[in-house]
Amino acid sequence: AQKVTQAQTEISVVEKEDVTLDCVYETRDTTYYLFWYKQPPSGELVFLIRRNSFDEQNEISGRYSWNFQKSTSSFNFTITASQVVDSAVYFCALSGYNTDKLIFGTGTRLQVFP
Amino acid sequence: DARVTQTPRHKVTEMGQEVTMRCQPILGHNTVFWYRQTMMQGLELLAYFRNRAPLDDSGMPKDRFSAEMPDATLATLKIQPSEPRDSAVYFCASAEGAEQYFGPGTRLTVT
């Protein structure tokens, strides 16, 4: 069975702080994809990143970075120098290589205060 | 900037009424998904299509929900009859590969 766990329900930080959102996954597939989506207060789901299971290189995109570690089945997301506009619910998701189904975690609500 | 569009954005209806939600996927995307988001259950996949053919609708209550793709530019999700427990945000997403792009959602309230 596939499962995604986001243990942090809610995180509050002050602007300019760094924050890491945790994601732990379970799958029996040897090949799979991992994703992060952002859901701002407006409600839409915004795609942030996709990683393949065979590519463990960390990725950086501006203030965002992702740490994928197969050994611990984790795909953590760090926002450096957080801003108020980063306030949103962030979802981690998993899909098998041969399936289109996305299994979502329960989300982490991030609040960034000025 | 290609986007998935959904109509209506908000719908309030009375229990027992039929509800139809529409989705226009991104042009060229061959896979279309319907998700439901509630506070209790989070994001759940209801059904999805590839090249307009239904691939999986196991997440959908079959007795009242139906999903179709009349053509490549339109996907519909219908609830008949609607019940208060159907109140949720319904998202459509489309994909060409592994990355799914979501529409803005339809917020459904059934009273």
Side-chain angles (χ1 to χ4, degrees):
Chain A
Q2 295 184 320
K3 185 179 177 183
V4 175
T5 301
Q6 295 180 257
Q8 303 151 308
T9 305
E10 190 161 336
I11 301 175
S12 295
V13 299
V14 177
E15 228 177 359
K16 297 184 185 175
E17 283 187 34
D18 298 348
V19 58
T20 295
L21 310 181
D22 298 333
C23 173
V24 174
Y25 62 92
E26 295 174 30
T27 181
R28 291 181 181 167
D29 292 343
T30 54
T31 306
Y32 48 89
Y33 293 111
L34 293 162
F35 303 80
W36 276 95
Y37 283 84
K38 174 182 180 180
Q39 188 172 38
S42 54
E44 75 273 25
L45 278 155
V46 179
F47 167 81
L48 295 178
I49 189 171
R50 181 197 76 182
R51 296 303 279 174
N52 302 330
S53 55
F54 46 84
D55 181 1
E56 285 193 72
Q57 274 195 324
N58 291 332
E59 179 142 349
I60 298 175
S61 176
R63 296 184 298 106
Y64 295 171
S65 62
W66 290 269
N67 184 344
F68 175 30
Q69 294 201 343
K70 269 178 120 167
S71 59
T72 56
S73 297
S74 65
F75 185 43
N76 296 338
F77 173 28
T78 297
I79 302 175
T80 303
S82 59
Q83 299 176 1
V84 173
V85 293
D86 297 326
S87 297
V89 180
Y90 290 87
F91 291 94
C92 181
L94 164 73
S95 75
Y97 194 73
N98 291 316
T99 176
D100 302 295
K101 290 186 180 183
L102 275 179
I103 307 298
F104 283 90
T106 51
T108 297
R109 181 178 299 278
L110 173 65
Q111 293 196 71
V112 182
F113 293 99
Chain B
D1 188 19
R3 294 188 181 204
V4 176
T5 58
Q6 290 185 247
T7 57
R9 293 294 310 279
H10 303 271
K11 177 73 175 178
V12 179
T13 191
E14 291 184 350
M15 185 173 67
Q17 296 298 304
E18 178 179 299
V19 175
T20 299
M21 291 169 269
R22 293 177 175 80
C23 166
Q24 182 172 7
I26 293 172
L27 191 64
H29 283 192
N30 62 353
T31 311
V32 176
F33 305 81
W34 283 104
Y35 290 88
R36 176 171 61 184
Q37 185 177 33
T38 61
M39 289 295 295
M40 295 300 296
Q41 300 297 325
L43 276 157
E44 308 172 277
L45 177 68
L46 297 175
Y48 76 101
F49 297 77
R50 177 169 294 129
N51 296 323
R52 296 177 54 201
L55 285 191
D56 189 337
D57 62 1
S58 58
M60 208 163 65
K62 304 287 191 308
D63 56 338
R64 298 183 301 108
F65 283 59
S66 61
E68 296 179 347
M69 277 202 76
D71 61 62
T73 64
L74 176 65
T76 62
L77 179 66
K78 189 175 294 186
I79 307 174
Q80 168 63 23
S82 57
E83 296 181 1
R85 59 179 167 152
D86 301 330
S87 297
V89 180
Y90 291 81
F91 287 101
C92 174
S94 72
E96 187 181 11
E99 296 159 17
Q100 296 182 25
Y101 293 89
F102 284 74
T106 294
R107 182 175 295 277
L108 174 65
T109 303
V110 183
T111 61

